[in-house]
Amino acid sequence: MHSTRRSLLGGSLLLATASGARAQTYPNRPITIIVPFAAGSSTDVVGRQAARAIGEALGAQVVVENRTGAGGIIGTQAVARARPDGHTLLIVTNSTHAANKALFNNLPYDPVADFVPISNLATGPLILLSHPALPVRNLQQLVDYGRANPGRLTYGYSGSSSQIAAVMLTNDGKFDAVGVQYRSIPPAVTDLLGGQISFTFADPSNALQHIRSGQAIGLGVTAPQRTPLAPDVPTLTEAGLPGFQLVPWQGIAAPAGTDPAIIQRIFDALRSRYDTPDVRRTYAALGFEVDLSPTPEAYGAFIRSETTRWGDLVRLARIEPQ
């Protein structure tokens, strides 16, 4: 019995020693952070801030690679299949790691089993935008126009956040509109400005400049409170949709099997260099905020709870899985 205990203890010590050694030599080559959405998106902005923080803290070269398509599935699947050595990381979102499980029947990755969560990074609302040529200047006018002109309105979406928000809007407002899918939100906003679509839900970094210039009309914010960057734009609850709240988030994760000591090193790097006044000012100017998790384990629990919540939203919006 005693010899068995000594063997088990010895094995545990060897594993701990090996884990510590790997963490001490990490990273030994450039780190790649995959952003599963396009350059210019809020997810891309967050990914590049995280890359800079990790690179500075670890003295490493960190490369951001935008691998887009299929609502974030393509980039996410690539990281799920990567070597679990900490040199390939993923910017995860409420789309890739919560809603997609309910949106797709045959999701080619498991948001929980295929990844090790590291930390949440940022949160921020969406803003409902319409084109100035559309004869609406507030949410109720959009709803009335949609009801009076069935099927005439079109909306752009990319990923689950903007899709769920748009379907919730049309369901709650009891009007029909035709959805157009984009690879990311920036081109949807471009088409909105050009008059090709009627409305879209965009993150503040892609919405505010156009509201300020008068190229787009801000009809509502999906957060529980108004954004100070656009104080005249009401929340959707204030505008007439009680309980309409949708706040997307972005975080970072590694492939399943990554050494816990390496996960801790990345987490510590973020804690030391990411949550800074400069980053907070940058995010505040874009309409979202730093939101780091207290521990990697806490982030894992958050993702599991969000999978349930966003799945409920998908069902509430009556979106049929693909």
Side-chain angles (χ1 to χ4, degrees):
M1 179 69 73
H2 291 299
S3 62
T4 301
R5 288 176 178 170
R6 283 195 296 271
S7 297
L8 289 172
L9 179 60
S12 298
L13 290 172
L14 285 172
L15 287 173
T17 301
S19 174
R22 284 193 294 271
Q24 289 300 316
T25 58
Y26 170 81
N28 52 40
R29 65 177 187 276
I31 299 169
T32 297
I33 296 181
I34 301 291
V35 174
F37 297 99
S41 63
S42 61
T43 309
D44 179 64
V45 173
V46 170
R48 292 180 190 278
Q49 291 289 350
R52 186 173 69 175
I54 293 169
E56 289 177 355
L58 298 181
Q61 180 184 357
V62 183
V63 178
V64 174
E65 179 182 334
N66 296 90
R67 198 173 296 188
T68 66
I73 290 175
I74 292 174
T76 303
Q77 183 181 13
V79 178
R81 294 175 174 176
R83 288 180 59 188
D85 58 9
H87 291 91
T88 304
L89 305 174
L90 175 71
I91 299 300
V92 302
T93 71
N94 52 276
S95 293
T96 64
H97 276 62
N100 276 359
K101 195 162 187 178
L103 287 170
F104 297 93
N105 287 317
N106 298 302
L107 196 64
Y109 63 86
D110 187 310
V112 174
D114 290 343
F115 298 90
V116 181
I118 300 173
S119 179
N120 200 40
L121 295 172
T123 55
L126 298 175
I127 299 178
L128 172 60
L129 298 176
S130 67
H131 190 274
L134 197 68
V136 304
R137 292 298 179 268
N138 58 51
L139 177 64
Q140 188 58 54
Q141 290 176 358
L142 177 67
V143 170
D144 291 343
Y145 184 91
R147 290 174 179 172
N149 299 273
R152 187 169 179 180
L153 291 176
T154 57
Y155 63 87
Y157 69 91
S158 171
S160 66
S161 302
S162 53
Q163 180 184 15
I164 292 171
V167 175
M168 286 175 62
L169 170 63
T170 57
N171 285 347
D172 291 354
K174 297 180 174 57
F175 67 94
D176 294 326
V178 178
V180 181
Q181 186 171 14
Y182 291 81
R183 292 179 69 88
S184 64
I185 283 300
V189 173
T190 298
D191 275 5
L192 174 80
L193 301 179
Q196 280 78 43
I197 58 175
S198 310
F199 66 90
T200 190
F201 282 86
D203 52 89
S205 61
N206 282 290
L208 292 173
Q209 59 181 317
H210 305 302
I211 294 173
R212 291 165 180 161
S213 69
Q215 293 178 291
I217 306 298
L219 300 179
V221 180
T222 63
Q225 62 283 320
R226 300 188 184 199
T227 171
L229 298 177
D232 294 334
V233 179
T235 67
L236 288 171
T237 295
E238 290 176 315
L241 294 179
F244 195 114
Q245 293 183 18
L246 199 71
V247 182
W249 47 266
Q250 299 96 0
I252 189 166
T258 302
D259 193 319
I262 290 176
I263 296 296
Q264 190 63 47
R265 283 207 70 192
I266 299 168
F267 179 79
D268 291 343
L270 289 167
R271 297 293 292 185
S272 68
R273 299 296 179 94
Y274 179 78
D275 188 5
T276 66
D278 283 347
V279 174
R280 286 185 174 274
R281 279 192 294 269
T282 297
Y283 281 6
L286 296 173
F288 46 101
E289 61 186 30
V290 173
D291 186 12
L292 283 176
S293 304
T295 64
E297 293 76 17
Y299 189 43
F302 171 78
I303 288 176
R304 290 190 292 274
S305 67
E306 285 289 280
T307 299
T308 300
R309 190 174 80 86
W310 283 83
D312 290 343
L313 287 172
V314 169
R315 287 181 283 275
L316 182 65
R318 299 193 293 276
I319 299 174
E320 289 295 324
Q322 299 179 25

